Amino acid sequence: MSGSSLYLDGVSVVFDGFRALNNLSLIIEPGELRAIIGPNGAGKTTMMDIVTGKTRPTTGVVRFGEHDLTRMDEAAIANLGIGRKFQKPTVFDALTVFENLELALKAPRDPWSCLRWVLGAQSRRRIEGVMEEIGLAERARDRAAILSHGQRQWLEIGMLLMQEPQLLLVDEPVAGMTDQETEHTAALLRRIAGQRSVVVVEHDLEFVRALGEKVTVLCEGTVLSEGSIDHVQNDPRVIEVYLGR
Amino acid sequence: MSATTTLAPPPRLQSALVLRGLLLAGLAILALLPLLNRLPVDSVLHVSDFIVAVTGKWICYGVLALAIDLAWGYAGILSLGHGAFFALGGYAMGMHLMRLIGPRGVYGNPVLPDFMVFLGYAELPWTWWGFSSFPFALLMALLVPGLLAGVVGYLAFRSRITGVYLSIITQAMTYALMLAFFRNDMGFGGNNGFTDFKELLGMPLNSGGTRAMLFYAALAVLGLSLLLCRHITQSKLGRVLVAVRDAESRLRFLGYNTTHVKLSVFVLSAMLAGLAGALYVPLVGIINPGEFSPGNSIEAVIWVAVGGRGTLVGALLGAFSVNALKTWLTSFAPDLWLFVLGGLFVAVTLFLPRGLVGLMSRGPGR
Ligand SMILES: Nc1ncnc2c1ncn2[C@@H]1O[C@H](COP(=O)(O)OP(=O)(O)O)[C@@H](O)[C@H]1O
Ligand SMILES: [Mg+2]
């Protein structure tokens, strides 16, 4: 697997004196699937904001391969191959499922190229392939506005896949999903990882167990524990602040 | 699940067909007006000079409405300064028309327009150089608004100024230009602006034939603008614009430089507005700083809101219907107009968010 690793070292973010991230260090290897758990306000979303260029760290190093992410804007970071699924699903409601995926498809993104864009057979097959993968092939021509909550989450994951990212950041994908949808999502993420790195933030421990990979526990902006789900669930510090509430 | 995903016509196509029929019928009727104007006055089908003159104006407003719709209806950039781009295009054409007056002015100066002679100018200011050429004037009618939109848009979009702040900035822009153009020392005729034009492209402006030509030129530009806007909105760029409008930050995380996208559409929209202004001035025979007044820009946005933003037909429908209402109303109760306009805007915002077009087509709009 060729690819870059994500490297955070000593990252702190201070909002008006409040430390959302506190000396956070983390390495995600190419092809790795990593779950990140932690109580509300632990800084999980902020960590993703840092990686995707939405928020700048107050101090610390954030690198993807040899690229310094703290010096790049959102679009440039996305074009490096870092895709992000937001906690609140955001798809383009006025566009159809197909059109949403088409926008995400890896292709030149400047206005002129978009104006001249013609959907080729190969691109169409790719979009159709992803629609199969996320289970929305039947909904191709429906506007995203009328999809169910779970389907919107999948569409957003599908949009990430279209970008052919090397690193996928997925924020609370199963919040509000039914058990069946949750299972489907875990299977989807497991399939996706391997060809690329995936970082999943989640509250739902059943879901994290279903992913079956290394877990990092965040608390108050810093890493509390790291290891298999059984390891962290038995870590006394974790039990104290998170699991044993 | 089957993998066959043909993109057959969507269900909203039927209402789209009705709208397209309406549009083509409207354009055909417009094209007939100058011909009907030639009929003998006692014919039932005769159309008066007044109607031709007024609809000619509306055609220019239609182009302006398309420009606003492209920026606002599609890309979500609510500019309250498009009247300025329109006026700048108008001034560029007006300068050409002034140069063509030549020695026929009151003072008989072959080079200097009357107002410059009156103000004691010794020679033509550099800002007027080149305007004796029609192609140059037309180019300036596109480039000057485009450049202004480029600068204002670049500064605003780069700093991620959106929504009401952008509206205020563009409104301030047109207000500032109005004050500037009112000044005599700007060299653009001060509060009187330009008028008393004589000819264009060798044709006398007071002849019926020339007026018909200008009418058809405006109609042709409207048709071409419509095709251009359609080409854009139906391309992937059109879907990118809608995405900018609905979830700009999401689009950034998809790797799109939304600043460039917005800047391109804003500049193009300003150039279209400038073109509309350039068509307008020879038709109405006058341009003055009043065209920059902030109210004009707001009124043009209301046309689009009334017709239905985010659809090209809606923009045209709005421009024509609101102006028809205005022409009719101001013929007997001019003082009422501003109240009616304001009421119309409130009513449309509350009850018809998709405008008149929304009345005709069912299903969710773009
Ligand atoms: N833009 C911001 N301004 C101020 N405080 C913020 C901002 N973003 C996040 N925070 C704070 O940082 C802390 C971490 O938030 P977040 O990363 O969203 O936590 P999590 O996703 O783990 O629940 C929270 O206390 C939150 O209120
Ligand atoms: Mg969060």
Side-chain angles (χ1 to χ4, degrees):
Chain A
M1 167 89 211
S2 67
S4 310
S5 35
L6 176 68
Y7 176 81
L8 275 71
D9 189 35
V11 174
S12 295
V13 176
V14 182
F15 295 119
D16 302 326
F18 172 77
R19 282 188 175 266
L21 291 183
N22 188 6
N23 200 17
L24 173 70
S25 300
L26 194 69
I27 297 180
I28 310 286
E29 301 292 348
E32 184 179 352
L33 170 58
R34 173 79 62 95
I36 296 186
I37 60 174
N40 257 328
K44 305 181 297 290
T45 300
T46 305
M47 184 271 293
M48 294 198 168
D49 289 343
I50 291 292
V51 174
T52 52
K54 189 174 180 204
T55 303
R56 298 284 176 218
T58 314
T59 55
V61 177
V62 186
R63 306 186 71 85
F64 185 62
E66 70 267 31
H67 300 279
D68 180 356
L69 300 184
T70 59
R71 294 168 169 278
M72 301 169 70
D73 70 7
E74 295 100 316
I77 292 175
N79 287 321
L80 262 191
I82 298 182
R84 172 171 190 183
K85 203 205 81 59
F86 286 82
Q87 191 164 347
K88 211 172 109 229
T90 19
V91 292
F92 303 113
D93 279 345
L95 303 179
T96 65
V97 167
F98 189 95
E99 290 168 338
N100 267 279
L101 294 172
E102 188 192 22
L103 277 197
L105 178 76
K106 208 171 168 160
R109 268 142 162 66
D110 60 288
W112 182 246
S113 304
C114 290
L115 182 64
R116 308 288 313 275
W117 167 255
V118 179
L119 181 69
Q122 201 184 352
S123 301
R124 173 174 299 246
R125 273 197 300 279
R126 229 187 98 55
I127 295 173
E128 285 166 355
V130 167
M131 286 195 301
E132 284 296 314
E133 177 109 38
I134 59 177
L136 291 179
E138 314 274 271
R139 311 297 304 269
R141 282 188 282 117
D142 288 334
R143 294 192 183 204
I146 64 171
L147 298 180
S148 75
H149 174 74
Q151 288 169 329
R152 291 163 71 85
Q153 299 273 23
W154 296 334
L155 177 56
E156 207 179 359
I157 293 174
M159 288 165 74
L160 288 181
L161 293 179
M162 296 307 306
Q163 292 172 266
E164 300 172 33
Q166 293 183 52
L167 169 65
L168 253 171
L169 304 172
V170 189
D171 202 350
E172 305 208 13
V174 300
M177 279 192 180
T178 64
D179 288 352
Q180 202 188 351
E181 286 174 333
T182 301
E183 246 169 67
H184 183 110
T185 307
L188 178 61
L189 290 174
R190 274 199 312 270
R191 271 204 307 279
I192 291 169
Q195 305 156 47
R196 51 184 67 82
S197 324
V198 179
V199 177
V200 188
V201 160
E202 196 39 77
H203 271 310
D204 183 328
L205 285 184
E206 276 317 300
F207 174 79
V208 172
R209 190 173 284 284
L211 290 177
E213 297 277 340
K214 189 169 168 185
V215 180
T216 296
V217 184
L218 272 195
C219 185
E220 292 176 1
T222 195
V223 174
L224 190 65
S225 180
E226 210 162 68
S228 71
I229 179 85
D230 290 321
H231 169 84
V232 300
Q233 268 186 314
N234 292 319
D235 186 326
R237 283 170 306 172
V238 177
I239 294 172
E240 188 190 327
V241 303
Y242 182 45
L243 302 167
R245 278 177 297 181
Chain B
M1 271 169 222
S2 95
T4 50
T5 321
T6 49
L7 287 183
R12 58 182 183 275
L13 192 75
Q14 224 167 6
S15 50
L17 280 179
V18 172
L19 285 176
R20 183 176 306 173
L22 208 72
L23 176 73
L24 291 177
L27 291 177
I29 290 173
L30 283 176
L32 282 177
L33 292 182
L35 297 177
L36 298 179
N37 177 244
R38 290 294 177 91
L39 291 176
V41 179
D42 49 9
S43 158
V44 277
L45 288 176
H46 175 79
V47 167
S48 68
D49 288 353
F50 174 74
I51 297 281
V52 177
V54 161
T55 45
K57 258 169 59 169
W58 297 350
I59 291 173
C60 302
Y61 291 154
V63 177
L64 176 60
L66 285 177
I68 291 174
D69 196 27
L70 197 60
W72 180 42
Y74 286 89
I77 305 167
L78 177 50
S79 159
L80 292 181
H82 261 53
F85 304 133
F86 181 87
L88 285 171
Y91 264 92
M93 188 51 69
M95 286 160 81
H96 176 60
L97 293 164
M98 289 301 272
R99 292 297 321 270
L100 291 184
I101 295 174
R104 282 169 289 186
V106 176
Y107 295 106
N109 188 309
V111 176
L112 297 185
D114 279 347
F115 78 88
M116 289 190 194
V117 180
F118 181 75
L119 292 173
Y121 278 66
E123 55 186 16
L124 207 62
W126 66 269
T127 44
W128 282 69
W129 293 351
F131 277 94
S132 54
S133 147
F134 177 79
F136 180 83
L138 198 59
L139 194 68
M140 287 301 125
L142 293 169
L143 287 189
V144 172
L147 199 69
L148 177 64
V151 172
V152 172
Y154 177 75
L155 294 175
F157 302 146
R158 193 195 50 168
S159 323
R160 304 205 173 165
I161 291 171
T162 54
V164 66
Y165 298 101
L166 186 92
S167 305
I168 291 170
I169 286 175
T170 50
Q171 179 92 130
M173 172 191 82
T174 196
Y175 187 64
L177 282 169
M178 179 177 75
L179 297 184
F181 274 76
F182 263 125
R183 297 171 61 96
N184 278 329
D185 52 14
M186 275 283 283
F188 297 117
N191 60 349
N192 294 319
F194 309 143
T195 188
D196 282 334
F197 308 132
K198 307 292 186 214
E199 58 168 287
L200 181 62
L201 294 171
M203 300 179 300
L205 282 174
N206 58 8
S207 90
T210 309
R211 281 201 298 270
M213 293 282 280
L214 287 171
F215 183 96
Y216 282 120
L219 193 59
V221 168
L222 178 70
L224 291 175
S225 308
L226 189 62
L227 288 178
L228 175 72
C229 291
R230 203 180 110 88
H231 179 67
I232 292 170
T233 55
Q234 302 217 327
S235 73
K236 188 164 96 173
L237 180 59
R239 300 190 283 281
V240 170
L241 296 182
V242 168
V244 166
R245 180 191 71 193
D246 292 346
E248 181 178 353
S249 107
R250 179 71 185 85
L251 195 65
R252 264 193 223 115
F253 289 105
L254 276 183
Y256 287 86
N257 187 327
T258 57
T259 304
H260 288 175
V261 172
K262 294 201 307 189
L263 196 57
S264 322
V265 73
F266 192 55
V267 167
L268 181 71
S269 169
M271 291 168 80
L272 262 187
L275 186 61
L279 288 164
Y280 178 83
V281 167
L283 274 168
V284 300
I286 183 167
I287 173 88
N288 61 38
E291 289 298 333
F292 285 102
S293 83
N296 282 21
S297 296
I298 295 174
E299 198 165 322
V301 164
I302 295 178
W303 307 336
V304 178
V306 167
R309 69 188 182 111
T311 62
L312 300 175
V313 182
L316 294 183
L317 194 64
F320 279 86
S321 56
V322 175
N323 280 297
L325 181 68
K326 181 179 181 176
T327 303
W328 173 72
L329 192 73
T330 47
S331 67
F332 63 89
D335 296 342
L336 272 183
W337 174 240
L338 279 183
F339 296 100
V340 171
L341 187 70
L344 203 59
F345 185 60
V346 171
V348 165
T349 312
L350 290 180
F351 306 114
L352 267 185
R354 293 177 52 218
L356 293 172
V357 163
L359 273 184
M360 281 174 244
S361 58
R362 307 250 169 277
R366 272 265 149 110

